[in-house]
Amino acid sequence: MSSVSNAAKPVDLDKPKAKNKKRSQWAEVWRRLKKNKMAMVGLAIIGAIVFCAIFADVIADYDSVVIKQNLKARMEGPSAEHILGTDEFGRDIFARMVHGARVSLQVGLIAVGLAIGIGGSLGAIAGYYGGRLDNIIMRCMDVFLAIPSILLAIAIVSALGPSLFNLMLAIGISSVPSYARIVRASVLSIRDQEFIEAARAIGANDFRIITKHIIPNALAPVIVQATLGVAGAILSTAGLSFIGMGIQPPAPEWGAMLSGGRQYLRYAAHITAFPGVAIMITILALNLLGDGLRDALDPRLKS
Amino acid sequence: MSKLLKINDLSIHYLTEDGDVKAVNNINLELDAGETLGLVGETGAGKTTTALGIMRLVPNPPGEVTSGTIEFEGRDLMKIPEEEMRMIRGNKISMIFQDPMTSLNPVMTVGEQIAEVIEIHQDIAGKEAMDKAGDMLELVGIPATRVNDYPHQFSGGMKQRVVIAISLACNPQLLIADEPTTALDVTIQAQVLDLMRNLKKEFNTAMMMITHDLGVVAEVCDKVAIMYAGEVIEYAPIQQLFENPSHPYTHGLFGSIPNLDEEVTRLTPITGLMPDPTDLPSGCTFHPRCPYAKPICAQQAPKNSVVEGEHRVKCLMFEGLVDKVSIKGTDQGKKEVV
Amino acid sequence: MLKYIGRRLLMLIPVLLGVTFIVFSIMYMTPGDPAQLILGESAPPEAVAELRADMGLDDPFIVQYGRFVKNAVQGDFGKSYTTKRDVFSEIFARFPNTLKLAGVGVALAIAIGIPVGIISATRQYSVLDNVSMIGALLGVSMPNFWLGLMLILFFSVNLGVLPSSGSGTFLHIILPAITLGTGSAAIITRMTRSSMLEVIRQDFIRTARAKGVAEKKVINKHALKNALIPVITVIGLQFGYLLGGAVLTETVFSWPGVGRLLVEAIRAKDTPTVLASVVFMATTFSFVNLLVDVLYAYVDPRIKSQYQ
């Protein structure tokens, strides 16, 4: 005859794991991410930049404001009319920066998308089938990794010519090996687990196994890498444009704007300073988000 | 006879975001020179925290010793400066931990790790210390030639022997062993226990053996303290504990063990789970799981009552506040409590 | 151990071969006629055709590639389309400058990154930790060429204390090295910090404290040795990043290195120079990685015993 007290809340030391539906798993990740204030700040900043990119034409008309030169108003500092001043051709810097956001995001997303598509597939195949195929693919990746990625991108752009498309291609290709590695590692870690055996036993073919079971498990590290990858792609774009290997003038690109203002550093530093700050804030936001995602997706914290 | 170790009203809490974790609550323990005290309880009972408390290794933050004294050789360890405490660790009081696989530094040779504790506490250095390290290895049954090998070159059982060698190198008065054999195979377990028993006899080291395994207790201990939810709910010399287990929880522990001699159709585990240390039950902490609990058990916390001689127990049945019930036993040596 | 080094060196050969193949293939796709480029716009078509045949530009791809490798192994990377000088000697003359810059950059990054990482880890959540983590975040987010320009603005233009271009004296290398090394310093700081945090939580650290080892020694001897092992790999990778980043930094500071040579060669469509520069940098990177791997195997006894 035991009396029931109202106080004790027993700690479940061996609670049988409740079946986690995929939906609630992602909800849990989102909840953890929300707790991370810095990551939320990063997300907000990125949101603002995406907004600029999408509505760039509304904020500043391309032909009349962004490209059109106005030599009478060259290199003016920040003023009421031009919030961030004008560049060496008299164009409004703020407007150019807003359009530059569009360019940067475009290249970032498409380059990373390309890299995930190609690299992810290669990594999944290499990890899943193993053996010689794995060996060959990873040796190829090693060769690519031996070339510093910026140099590889430079080589590709120099061969194919500088254009938006070639830039995306070059940066995308140079990012392929890291995604191949990540996906391969994920695949290897679950390939030999029993539920894969079970799936095969009920007749699922390889393609189905790869897409339905293996890829969802590889998603977490890929997402983190992709966030940081977009940051890297934006940096590379700016760098390549800086040395003239990227978007050609008069198209507005942050790195190219930096390059253009370089010779006027002494008199009109703002032409160089502001686009650089834009790059920095974007990369910072992406890094904050990426770090936050990494923490939120950490398997050690999964209940 | 003055005790080697006397713990008085010790309480250790962890102040975390999720609440105040009351890991250890007003416990009293004592130990004589050369004696072995068994500290028994389930995971989460507060045994490791008690041991860390004695060594003053409770991580702070978030842990804090909120009350009590720990008298060792007459001095209160809670009051001495850190430098002095450091000279006691590894020297007068040694501790070995549960998992030998991770207890050794992977980038230092075992010889270096043994020699280190010798060099810190004794006036020996360099080659002499290494020689002594080799001697310690021999003592625990490992050839001294392996003194320059790295931990990863040893098996689990041998690693634990190295850990024992380190802990005994300076001939401590007290050795605290936190579940030293839990992570090992049963056969290795027997070997390591044997080793510890022999060394203990040879050096007359007092030992505090933390375990959840009553079999180990039976092999090695002179006295036993049963811990539950941070309290010592029963304390007795070994013979008395096995012949006359008094606390309902202790009964439950014995009842949960499979018995080779009797034919039993079911094991009788204790229902329920260890309470959440941030939200302990009112009154007697065991009352939610106690098959003999009465309403008063939820209101009044039991104090120590003497059962017989040094045997004491914390249960209202022994304070006369609850009628003693005859507790049916299913295991060896347990008599009915009248 | 030597066998391990020997084997790794042997494995380097197919990798380098692969690198040359990839880079050569990429450059092969460059539009335009090199012979025309060399002789100029107004050259007569016959002279151009003759030069093409001479240079072997009409041979199939594989043949051209084979010839490239054969010559490269002997140190002959052809002649620059623009300066007409031997490419190898041009690169070789500038290479020490790039190495110097990358070397000082990485040294700076290590000198700052590791101590700050350690202190941040041992004083987690303190003001110092927060400041250095914010600093590291900023360091990783800054485009290095922009940092270079801002440094020039501040130290050369406004304060006038440091030169903004050229090389030669010790003063000249300060700004470029800081520019190049900042990103790496940030990454090394973060890596060291997280590695230390993980190591400090390990059981053997608790064992060390229970032995009575002084806290300083626990950190600097027991923890550090373990924590630095993964950091070594990161440093190796950073070197590759630095070689790539040198291209931009050398441009900003007009530093006479291979990076700047590369940029000019691209502008001038000087394929042999571009080809040779990239292969050079990739080869250097590969050797540095090999060095780092050997160091790693040497420092971690668990790996070392595998190779003895």
Side-chain angles (χ1 to χ4, degrees), chain A residues 115-137:
Chain A
I116 292 180
I118 300 179
S121 312
L122 285 175
I125 295 175
Y128 188 72
Y129 290 109
R132 289 206 77 193
L133 193 56
D134 179 16
N135 233 332
I136 295 175
I137 294 181

Side-chain angles (χ1 to χ4, degrees), chain A residues 1-14, chain B residues 273-274 276 279-282 287-288 290-291 293-295:
Chain A
M1 207 170 36
S2 69
S3 59
V4 179
S5 104
N6 52 357
K9 252 192 307 169
V11 167
D12 279 324
L13 297 170
D14 315 275
Chain B
L273 292 156
M274 182 84 74
D276 180 354
D279 195 8
L280 291 173
S282 55
H287 84 257
C290 183
K294 293 280 190 293

Side-chain angles (χ1 to χ4, degrees), chain A residues 12-246:
Chain A
D12 279 324
L13 297 170
D14 315 275
K15 174 157 71 171
K17 287 194 174 27
K19 273 262 284 297
N20 266 335
K21 289 209 189 106
K22 188 90 84 61
R23 233 179 303 136
S24 65
Q25 243 183 350
W26 288 113
E28 176 66 24
V29 169
W30 173 240
R31 193 187 62 87
R32 275 205 290 265
L33 190 64
K34 271 204 289 195
K35 273 210 237 171
N36 185 340
K37 294 208 193 69
M38 288 277 90
M40 287 292 107
V41 168
L43 189 60
I45 295 178
I46 294 173
I49 296 177
V50 170
F51 180 81
C52 283
I54 298 178
F55 295 105
D57 287 321
V58 173
I59 300 176
D61 180 66
Y62 192 70
D63 292 311
S64 62
V65 182
V66 173
I67 308 192
K68 183 155 182 223
Q69 303 185 3
N70 182 3
L71 297 172
K72 270 188 273 186
R74 298 177 69 194
M75 299 194 283
E76 286 172 8
S79 66
E81 199 195 329
H82 300 284
I83 333 177
L84 293 178
T86 61
D87 68 0
E88 69 275 18
F89 290 117
R91 300 174 290 202
D92 182 81
I93 291 183
F94 178 71
R96 283 177 68 80
M97 271 169 61
V98 166
H99 278 262
R102 173 184 285 184
V103 175
S104 294
L105 280 180
Q106 259 182 308
V107 179
L109 289 171
I110 297 185
V112 168
L114 195 70
I116 292 180
I118 300 179
S121 312
L122 285 175
I125 295 175
Y128 188 72
Y129 290 109
R132 289 206 77 193
L133 193 56
D134 179 16
N135 233 332
I136 295 175
I137 294 181
M138 290 328 279
R139 290 305 130 242
C140 284
M141 294 298 110
D142 282 345
V143 170
F144 272 91
L145 281 171
I147 310 175
S149 59
I150 311 175
L151 296 182
L152 187 59
I154 289 182
I156 296 177
V157 171
S158 88
L160 299 178
S163 81
L164 185 64
F165 179 74
N166 290 338
L167 203 57
M168 293 185 217
L169 193 67
I171 297 178
I173 291 181
S174 61
S175 313
V176 162
S178 49
Y179 293 100
R181 273 202 176 166
I182 291 177
V183 173
R184 176 178 177 269
S186 284
V187 170
L188 283 180
S189 74
I190 66 161
R191 178 183 64 171
D192 297 321
Q193 287 189 23
E194 278 163 350
F195 74 92
I196 300 287
E197 278 283 319
R200 238 176 269 164
I202 62 168
N205 66 18
D206 286 342
F207 179 73
R208 193 181 163 82
I209 292 183
I210 291 183
T211 47
K212 274 216 126 89
H213 296 288
I214 299 197
I215 290 189
N217 274 284
L219 271 182
V222 168
I223 290 178
V224 175
Q225 181 67 18
T227 311
L228 301 172
V230 171
I234 295 179
L235 268 178
S236 299
T237 309
L240 285 172
S241 303
F242 181 73
I243 54 176
M245 286 285 104

Side-chain angles (χ1 to χ4, degrees), chain C residues 133-147:
Chain C
M133 279 304 102
I134 294 176
L137 204 55
L138 285 175
V140 157
S141 310
M142 258 189 286
N144 71 353
F145 51 96
W146 180 78
L147 175 65

Side-chain angles (χ1 to χ4, degrees), chain B residues 125-176:
Chain B
K127 186 169 183 316
E128 225 189 311
M130 275 304 239
D131 287 338
K132 195 146 185 255
D135 294 337
M136 289 308 297
L137 280 180
E138 291 279 348
L139 199 65
V140 296
I142 299 178
T145 46
R146 298 203 64 180
V147 81
N148 289 320
D149 284 346
Y150 287 91
H152 69 273
Q153 294 168 280
F154 293 87
S155 69
M158 292 176 88
K159 281 207 240 291
Q160 195 64 311
R161 288 167 189 263
V162 172
V163 169
I164 293 173
I166 295 176
S167 66
L168 293 175
C170 296
N171 202 353
Q173 262 87 313
L174 170 63
L175 172 64
I176 305 176

Side-chain angles (χ1 to χ4, degrees), chain B residues 38-203:
Chain B
L39 201 55
V40 178
E42 295 172 64
T43 314
K47 317 186 293 286
T48 304
T49 308
T50 305
L52 290 176
I54 299 175
M55 297 284 281
R56 269 176 57 177
L57 283 178
V58 176
N60 175 8
E64 245 188 78
V65 174
T66 54
S67 76
T69 63
I70 301 179
E71 285 168 31
F72 178 73
E73 291 186 328
R75 284 190 306 178
D76 183 6
L77 295 182
M78 293 288 105
K79 296 208 169 56
I80 63 177
E82 172 66 17
E83 263 309 296
E84 264 189 69
M85 190 66 217
R86 207 168 59 73
M87 293 196 279
I88 292 180
R89 292 190 198 116
N91 188 17
K92 301 212 166 202
I93 308 180
S94 280
M95 183 160 172
I96 59 182
F97 298 94
Q98 185 169 336
D99 191 355
M101 301 306 280
T102 54
S103 292
L104 294 170
N105 191 331
V107 302
M108 284 169 73
T109 63
V110 301
E112 283 172 333
Q113 298 191 49
I114 303 176
E116 185 177 33
V117 75
I118 298 174
E119 285 176 4
I120 294 177
H121 297 295
Q122 299 177 357
D123 227 342
I124 308 177
K127 186 169 183 316
E128 225 189 311
M130 275 304 239
D131 287 338
K132 195 146 185 255
D135 294 337
M136 289 308 297
L137 280 180
E138 291 279 348
L139 199 65
V140 296
I142 299 178
T145 46
R146 298 203 64 180
V147 81
N148 289 320
D149 284 346
Y150 287 91
H152 69 273
Q153 294 168 280
F154 293 87
S155 69
M158 292 176 88
K159 281 207 240 291
Q160 195 64 311
R161 288 167 189 263
V162 172
V163 169
I164 293 173
I166 295 176
S167 66
L168 293 175
C170 296
N171 202 353
Q173 262 87 313
L174 170 63
L175 172 64
I176 305 176
D178 190 353
E179 310 217 35
T181 55
T182 305
L184 303 172
D185 287 338
V186 179
T187 41
I188 310 290
Q189 209 177 81
Q191 288 176 21
V192 171
L193 278 178
D194 258 345
L195 175 67
M196 290 177 77
R197 219 188 357 224
N198 293 334
L199 291 174
K200 183 199 104 159
K201 240 188 281 184
E202 192 175 324
F203 293 103

